[in-house]
Amino acid sequence: MDILTQKKMLGKHELKNPVTGVAINLRMFARCDGMVADSHRKMYEEYGNSGMGMVVTDAMNVNPECQSFRTTLGCWSDDQIPGLSELAGLIKKNGTKAIVQIAHRGAHCFGGKKLSEAPLVRLLDVQQDFIDAAVRIQKAGFDGVEVHCVHVFLLSQILSPITNDITWKYNGSVEKRAQYVVEIIKGIREKCGDDFIVGCRLGCNEPDIQTSIKLAQMFEEAGVEYISVSTGVDERVEQGNMDDTFDLGIEVPEGWPYTKRVLGAWQIKQNVNIPVIAADGVKNAEIARDILEKGYADFVGIGRARMADPNWYNKIVKGEEPVYCFHCPVCFWLFDETRCPARRKLAKMAEESK
Ligand SMILES: Cc1cc2nc3c(=O)[nH]c(=O)nc-3n(C[C@H](O)[C@H](O)[C@H](O)COP(=O)(O)O)c2cc1C
Ligand code: SF4
């Protein structure tokens, strides 16, 4: 049986296959009040038809004053629950597990990058915002949340010794930096119970792979059910650069066929007892199968490939050719999805087949 279609356990939850959608922020769709727009309904319908075992939504804001991007979906108010509930239903209708990524942009919201550039009093409140957001997400009917600790957002800023540049109780050692996130994870577990999936997206360079492994172990102990690996503090990531050219504090063995983030996922996987999701450049069936068969990760995470062709998974498991992502220097889904060349090609193909 094809490994891409085999059921797979994530903690005590059975996923219909080991292929997951990693978070893609749809910031150009949302209204400034963080409420669901029609364009979201259309996208989440696609997610529900994607065939994948699990889809993680775009990073949603846990706090209105400090939105990750002004026009990103929100989960800070009970008024948002009915809209979120609709979205949960759209993803889950064919048995795909639906996870919301919960996020805060931290110092960026105050025009800086380091914690010293943000008001400390606000940072202390944000832990409770994450926990309250998870409770709303659960009420809306989602299967779980993924705590966003990557890409120079708040929790990444706290985990990284580069950006956590203040004297407070969450600095001084890796354990102390991790404690801020550990308290969020434990708080969510306590409020949402054991049946709710709690995952974590973590950088493999916070600031190096050895420290990231320690962080992953601490988050496992705190109760997360999976770690999805990406990048932590790095300026180029902030600017939407997803290439593999920069050093992530990982020594790459000769002949390693995939990106550093996938290598980071494998190294973390070897040091934790919970499933690990590897994403970055998983663009075709061969790569996805190889990563899973070689045991480099428990699940593969698909980002741009599924934005390029929403039926990417359904097609590859049938041996059909999807429209592949063009790997544009900066993905158009960050600011104007109508310019995505893959979607344009799909639309043209649909037109021609009429
Ligand atoms: C347009 C766009 C938006 C993204 N938004 C998020 C996000 O909200 N949260 C997150 O953790 N990663 C986000 N990412 C990173 C992706 O989840 C993924 O790690 C990255 O695209 C590499 O995987 P891929 O090669 O399959 O695209 C985003 C990437 C792109 C291109
Ligand atoms: S083709 Fe370009 S715009 Fe479309 S998903 Fe790929 S990188 Fe993004």
Side-chain angles (χ1 to χ4, degrees):
M1 192 183 178
D2 186 356
I3 197 163
L4 297 183
T5 58
Q6 281 171 24
K7 291 180 179 157
K8 179 121 187 168
M9 296 305 287
L10 183 138
K12 50 180 154 164
H13 307 269
E14 188 180 79
L15 269 56
K16 60 182 181 177
N17 59 62
V19 183
T20 71
V22 280
I24 294 285
N25 198 284
L26 301 172
R27 74 183 80 143
M28 65 282 176
F29 285 171
R31 304 156 19 164
C32 286
D33 57 5
M35 302 293 266
V36 172
D38 275 345
S39 34
H40 287 109
R41 294 186 183 92
K42 187 173 159 277
M43 283 310 291
Y44 279 62
E45 179 122 47
E46 282 186 2
Y47 297 171
N49 293 331
S50 69
M52 294 185 184
M54 175 171 104
V55 170
V56 179
T57 68
D58 29 338
M60 292 190 197
N61 294 317
V62 300
N63 177 298
E65 296 155 18
C66 228
Q67 293 179 31
S68 71
F69 290 100
R70 279 205 62 75
T71 55
T72 293
L73 277 176
C75 46
W76 64 74
S77 155
D78 287 354
D79 295 344
Q80 290 157 336
I81 295 176
L84 293 175
S85 184
E86 253 186 273
L87 299 187
L90 289 171
I91 300 187
K92 290 169 66 169
K93 65 177 179 184
N94 297 314
T96 295
K97 297 276 183 212
I99 308 290
V100 170
Q101 192 181 55
I102 47 177
H104 190 291
R105 270 191 103 205
H108 287 291
C109 310
F110 307 99
K113 284 177 193 165
K114 298 186 169 182
L115 294 191
S116 56
E117 295 163 293
L120 181 60
V121 61
R122 283 296 314 134
L123 298 184
L124 288 168
D125 284 353
V126 175
Q127 278 181 310
Q128 193 58 43
D129 293 339
F130 272 96
I131 297 165
D132 294 345
V135 171
R136 284 186 203 102
I137 301 295
Q138 187 178 39
K139 281 192 188 148
F142 281 90
D143 297 298
V145 289
E146 180 177 282
V147 182
H148 184 304
C149 300
V150 283
H151 308 158
V152 212
F153 276 43
L154 174 66
L155 302 183
S156 168
Q157 289 163 5
I158 292 175
L159 294 177
S160 169
I162 301 166
T163 43
N164 189 342
D165 60 341
I166 53 174
T167 307
W168 63 328
K169 74 185 255 211
Y170 301 108
N171 200 3
S173 65
V174 56
E175 287 78 11
K176 286 187 183 163
R177 291 195 298 275
Q179 188 59 23
Y180 190 94
V181 177
V182 163
E183 286 168 14
I184 292 175
I185 295 165
K186 287 188 172 165
I188 296 174
R189 269 271 163 263
E190 199 183 303
K191 291 276 180 192
C192 298
D194 286 344
D195 287 334
F196 192 60
I197 300 174
V198 184
C200 169
R201 195 137 208 232
L202 178 65
C204 59
N205 62 317
E206 216 64 294
D208 50 41
I209 184 67
Q210 286 74 25
T211 317
S212 290
I213 287 170
K214 272 194 202 157
L215 292 168
Q217 289 168 336
M218 284 184 265
F219 299 160
E220 174 182 358
E221 202 178 320
V224 297
E225 265 148 322
Y226 73 87
I227 306 275
S228 174
V229 178
S230 188
T231 324
V233 166
D234 192 291
E235 208 173 312
R236 284 152 297 190
V237 173
E238 254 175 89
Q239 292 157 359
N241 186 336
M242 280 291 155
D243 72 24
D244 194 41
T245 52
F246 42 95
D247 177 21
L248 289 181
I250 294 182
E251 242 175 77
V252 184
E254 217 175 302
W256 172 253
Y258 303 120
T259 66
K260 295 189 193 88
R261 294 177 187 91
V262 176
L263 178 60
W266 184 36
Q267 297 192 353
I268 289 176
K269 177 178 156 51
Q270 292 170 76
N271 289 284
V272 295
N273 300 301
I274 46 174
V276 167
I277 301 177
D280 194 29
V282 184
K283 52 188 176 199
N284 59 39
E286 290 66 39
I287 296 177
R289 278 195 194 105
D290 192 55
I291 288 175
L292 294 168
E293 276 164 3
K294 297 237 169 75
Y296 295 145
D298 303 283
F299 295 87
V300 283
I302 313 301
R304 288 162 295 180
R306 73 187 176 97
M307 301 312 281
D309 187 339
N311 273 311
W312 180 86
Y313 174 82
N314 297 321
K315 289 180 183 169
I316 61 157
V317 294
K318 281 196 257 163
E320 294 172 11
E321 283 280 294
V323 170
Y324 287 110
C325 171
F326 286 62
H327 287 93
C328 313
V330 176
C331 180
F332 286 110
W333 284 89
L334 278 173
F335 51 94
D336 181 4
E337 84 289 357
T338 61
R339 291 167 67 192
C340 170
R343 289 289 178 129
R344 284 184 172 190
K345 186 171 169 186
L346 266 177
K348 197 165 165 232
M349 284 162 62
E351 196 54 41
E352 283 166 2
S353 70
K354 272 187 194 163

